[in-house]
Structures are given as structure tokens and as C-alpha cells.
Amino acid sequence: MDIQLKRGLLDICVLAAIKDEDSYGYKIIKDMKPYIELSESTLYTILKRLESANMLTVRTAEHGGRLRKYYRITKDGVKRIEEFKEDWKEIVSIYRFVTKEDGDEKK
């Protein structure tokens, strides 16, 4: 898969994982696991990128005697998810065009 496309998809997946509630690294990985494997190092790179792009904010709170970073989606992050949903319609259309010769699309 094209690295830029994969990067964009992973960004959207992380945003979607924190869309409904604040979350932290381990929980994000756990929530995404049924859909996609993601290493901690990859996740934290994505989280830093999303924070720099103002798509999420970070707060630190104590949990079990340790500090934990919690991530919250911003309005820009929600907007990016909505843009992705619109973009996805075009991607599906392109996929249908490309695979029609494979017999995947009914004539």
C-alpha cells in the first residue's frame, strides 16, 4: 500500500478511536486491535503528528500512581473525519471502476 495513503488512513483510525471519549495510548491500541494492528511506536508518532496539526489535545492525569496522557479530539479532528467520509465515497467509486473488469462489479 502507498505509504502516504496508509499514513492518512492510520491518522483517521486514531481520530476515530478517540472520537467519542478521551483515551490513552494502550486503550487506543486495544480498541483498534480488532480492525488493525498498530505498534506503540507508530501510534505515538501519529499522536504527535495529530497534536501538531491541532486535531487533538493532550492532558496528563495521574492514574494508579503514574502519570498518563489522555488524548481528546478537537473540532479540526472531527472535521477531518467528516472530510474523510466524503473522500471515501470517491475512493469507493474509483475502486469499483478499477475492479469492474475483474467481475466484481455487475454489468
Side-chain angles (χ1 to χ4, degrees):
M1 177 182 290
D2 177 75
I3 192 72
Q4 294 296 345
L5 177 60
K6 187 171 185 175
R7 177 190 281 185
L9 292 173
L10 290 175
D11 287 0
I12 293 297
C13 290
V14 170
L15 288 171
I18 64 173
K19 182 180 65 157
D20 295 327
E21 64 180 347
D22 294 0
S23 194
Y24 55 94
Y26 176 76
K27 184 170 184 323
I28 294 169
I29 289 172
K30 188 175 132 190
D31 291 345
M32 291 176 62
K33 192 170 184 125
Y35 307 99
I36 188 166
E37 284 287 325
L38 192 64
S39 70
E40 283 186 43
S41 61
T42 299
L43 173 64
Y44 288 108
T45 300
I46 292 168
L47 290 168
K48 286 178 186 175
R49 182 171 54 245
L50 293 172
E51 181 183 10
S52 294
N54 297 314
M55 291 190 201
L56 59 81
T57 59
V58 182
R59 69 177 168 83
T60 304
E62 190 173 329
H63 178 79
R66 297 182 61 197
L67 292 179
R68 179 184 279 173
K69 287 185 177 182
Y70 287 88
Y71 300 89
R72 172 178 287 182
I73 195 167
T74 64
K75 289 180 182 179
D76 287 344
V78 172
K79 181 180 175 188
R80 180 63 195 111
I81 290 174
E82 294 308 314
E83 289 169 349
F84 170 79
K85 290 177 183 178
E86 286 301 312
D87 293 344
W88 192 251
K89 293 175 186 176
E90 185 177 356
I91 292 168
V92 169
S93 181
I94 292 167
Y95 174 82
R96 285 184 180 138
F97 174 76
V98 169
T99 60
K100 72 179 176 165
E101 293 176 5
D102 296 339
D104 288 352
E105 190 67 26
K106 295 188 183 203
K107 297 183 181 189

